[in-house]
């Protein structure tokens, strides 16, 4: 094996983009391994045998970004079709649009507010006694008041994260906007869409290069990477070190298929169920993710969130205080690893959307090349934060 062969562990977006970028350099050969029997990680898509609908096998994924270079890059490998994610929330008071917008406020309170009136009204609902929110709940109460918080966020948050909202950082809610117009586009990004032929098709094309070899259903054992000039690891950071200090906290999701003879089950791609009395967090109906297709039948799934056990696939890093302390221990170990870099959501233990993963992989590939040219060691992580 030559000194110019690198190993990439993980065939999701992070690993696939990095593989493609390195393979464009004639001096590199790339091997990609993934322990699952398919490509694309949690973005894996495939046709449902019963209905022909394109399924997001591990839950809904809508591509959105404001980085023009990322949008241009991804379209080299697959046509992105227009898709706007318009999420609804089913509550005991009715079905409402999310994120909270002028229509949500007027419908929920039975008003006809103008934008200025709605803004002033919401200010009267917030808890003015909370000066600096210390957690998710206080941020919600300060921003929205008790009624909107209870209706849309408290129950959903408990089901999604498995903890009381008082245990979560206030920054989580800061990412969820309140709009004082009728814009119900869930993402405020310049570019949005879904691949015409699914995400797995894009990953396949990314990895379709003469200097890339791919092995699925192949588990990588850390320490068994002799002969590779460099290893890029996109799996769980704590797993790389055999969970030496304990396991980082993750939430995982499971899905219950809904069998129906109706051609349209709920009329929307995603409907959230914020109430604690309802065990699932949301229902997604996948035919609505491909409005350019026509299907006589439909398929939908109830989604449930649970704590990640050793045999389950990790989805969402919890990043509670104890997790962040544990993360620093693993990052310190990683910094001592020679010839290994850690990338992606699992490798860096951060919540990253697809566009952030792609953008970071593109940026890291450039950094890696520059380090080689300068004769300096490449970074262990693409980010400095813990």
């Amino acid at each position: 094996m030559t000194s110019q062969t690198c190993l990439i562990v993980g065939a999701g977006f992070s690993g696939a983009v990095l593989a493609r970028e390195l393979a464009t350099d004639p001096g590199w050969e790339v091997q990609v391994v993934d322990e699952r029997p398919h490509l694309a990680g949690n973005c894996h898509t495939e046709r449902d045998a019963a209905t022909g609908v394109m399924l997001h096998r591990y839950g809904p994924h809508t591509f959105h970004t404001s980085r023009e270079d990322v949008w241009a890059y991804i379209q080299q490998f697959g046509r992105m079709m227009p898709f706007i994610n318009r999420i609804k929330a089913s509550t005991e008071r009715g079905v409402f649009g999310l994120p909270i917008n002028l229509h949500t406020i007027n419908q929920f309170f039975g008003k006809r507010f103008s934008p200025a009136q709605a803004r002033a009204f919401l200010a009267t609902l917030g808890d003015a006694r909370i000066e600096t929110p210390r957690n998710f709940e206080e941020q919600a109460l300060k921003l929205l008041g008790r009624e909107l918080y209870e209706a849309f966020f408290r129950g959903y948050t408990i089901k999604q994260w498995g903890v009381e909202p008082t245990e979560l950082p206030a920054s989580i809610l800061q990412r969820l906007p309140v709009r004082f117009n009728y814009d119900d586009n869930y993402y405020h990004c310049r570019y949005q869409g879904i691949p015409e032929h699914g995400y797995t098709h894009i990953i396949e094309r990314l990895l379709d290069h003469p200097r890339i070899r791919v092995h699925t259903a192949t588990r990588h054992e850390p320490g068994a990477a002799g002969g590779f000039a460099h290893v890029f690891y996109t799996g769980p950071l704590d797993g790389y070190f055999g969970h030496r200090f304990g396991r980082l906290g993750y939430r995982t999701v499971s899905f219950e298929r809904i069998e129906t003879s109706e051609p349209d089950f709920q009329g929307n791609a995603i409907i959230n169920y914020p109430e604690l009395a309802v065990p699932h967090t949301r229902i997604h109906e996948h035919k609505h993710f491909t409005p350019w297709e026509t299907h006589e039948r439909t398929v939908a799934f109830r989604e449930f969130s649970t704590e990640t056990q050793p045999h389950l696939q990790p989805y969402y890093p919890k990043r509670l205080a104890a997790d962040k302390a544990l993360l620093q221990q693993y990052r310190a170990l990683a910094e001592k690893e020679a010839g290994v870099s850690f990338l992606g959501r699992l490798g860096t233990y951060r919540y990253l959307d697809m566009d952030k993963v792609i953008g970071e992989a593109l940026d890291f590939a450039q950094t890696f090349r520059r380090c080689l040219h300068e004769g300096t060691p490449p970074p262990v992580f693409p980010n400095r934060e813990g």
Side-chain angles (χ1 to χ4, degrees), residues 63-69 71 75 189-193:
F63 193 87
H64 54 95
T65 186
S66 292
R67 275 187 61 166
E68 188 171 352
D69 61 332
W71 181 249
Q75 290 196 101
C189 293
R190 183 177 179 184
Y191 305 106
Q192 301 180 53

Side-chain angles (χ1 to χ4, degrees), residues 44 113 159 223 296 336:
H44 178 62
F113 288 137
K159 291 191 292 184
E296 294 181 358
K336 299 176 182 178

Side-chain angles (χ1 to χ4, degrees), residues 335-385:
E335 293 288 351
K336 299 176 182 178
E337 288 287 294
V340 182
S341 297
F342 298 83
L343 294 94
R345 177 186 287 197
L346 301 181
T348 62
Y349 193 65
R350 291 175 298 154
Y351 185 93
L352 296 172
D353 289 324
M354 288 179 288
D355 66 312
K356 299 296 190 300
V357 168
I358 293 169
E360 198 164 85
L362 288 172
D363 296 341
F364 192 82
Q366 292 183 5
T367 300
F368 183 73
R369 292 194 195 97
R370 184 175 65 251
C371 289
L372 292 180
H373 178 73
E374 297 173 350
T376 58
V380 176
F381 292 97
N383 65 307
R384 295 182 180 180
E385 66 188 63

Side-chain angles (χ1 to χ4, degrees), residues 44-110:
H44 178 62
T45 48
E46 62 185 13
R47 291 286 177 187
D48 180 54
T51 64
V53 171
M54 179 67 78
L55 297 183
H56 298 204
R57 180 52 69 186
Y58 297 92
H61 286 80
T62 302
F63 193 87
H64 54 95
T65 186
S66 292
R67 275 187 61 166
E68 188 171 352
D69 61 332
V70 169
W71 181 249
Y73 183 84
I74 200 68
Q75 290 196 101
Q76 297 178 70
F77 305 98
R79 182 183 179 190
M80 297 297 290
M81 301 294 286
F83 179 82
I84 300 299
N85 199 12
R86 304 186 190 280
I87 296 178
K88 308 301 178 187
S90 179
T91 76
E92 62 181 6
R93 289 176 63 165
V95 178
F96 302 90
L98 293 178
I100 292 176
N101 58 70
L102 185 56
H103 188 219
T104 312
I105 295 169
N106 280 334
Q107 182 185 2
F108 189 84
F109 292 104

Side-chain angles (χ1 to χ4, degrees), residues 147-325:
E147 280 190 274
L148 290 173
Y149 166 59
E150 294 281 354
F152 296 110
F153 294 107
R154 184 176 183 276
Y156 191 93
T157 301
I158 292 172
K159 291 191 292 184
Q160 176 72 9
W161 294 104
V163 296
E164 288 293 325
T166 52
E167 298 181 51
L168 295 173
S171 59
I172 293 179
L173 191 62
Q174 291 169 356
R175 297 196 299 261
L176 303 175
V178 175
R179 299 186 182 135
F180 296 101
N181 56 30
Y182 288 97
D183 181 10
D184 63 349
N185 181 345
Y186 196 74
Y187 301 111
H188 189 63
C189 293
R190 183 177 179 184
Y191 305 106
Q192 301 180 53
I194 287 180
E196 181 179 18
H197 301 296
Y199 292 102
T200 299
H201 173 74
I202 287 183
I203 298 292
E204 289 171 346
R205 295 195 63 190
L206 275 163
L207 296 173
D208 184 13
H209 191 282
R211 284 191 289 275
I212 299 176
R213 285 180 288 171
V214 181
H215 305 277
T216 55
T218 302
R219 183 176 177 81
H220 169 71
E221 297 296 338
F228 291 102
H230 201 84
V231 176
F232 302 90
Y233 188 83
T234 70
L237 177 62
D238 54 343
Y240 181 90
F241 295 103
H243 307 101
R244 186 180 308 180
F245 303 125
R247 292 181 177 272
L248 291 167
Y250 283 94
R251 296 292 284 178
T252 191
V253 293
S254 60
F255 310 103
E256 177 184 275
R257 185 178 178 119
I258 300 172
E259 299 296 342
T260 177
S261 59
E262 297 294 327
D264 193 340
F265 179 74
Q266 64 182 12
N268 199 57
I270 300 174
I271 296 183
N272 288 357
Y273 288 82
E275 296 168 2
L276 277 174
V278 179
H280 50 275
T281 55
R282 57 184 182 173
I283 294 178
H284 24 95
E285 187 173 4
H286 293 230
K287 71 184 295 181
H288 294 296
F289 291 114
T290 55
W292 57 90
E293 297 183 352
T294 301
H295 298 279
E296 294 181 358
R297 299 178 60 191
T298 192
V299 58
F301 295 86
R302 296 183 183 92
E303 180 177 317
F304 301 83
S305 177
T306 58
E307 199 72 8
T308 300
Q309 302 300 319
H311 65 286
L312 298 175
Q313 186 68 33
Y315 276 71
Y316 304 107
K318 294 176 69 173
R319 291 180 66 88
L320 301 181
D323 296 314
K324 290 184 178 181

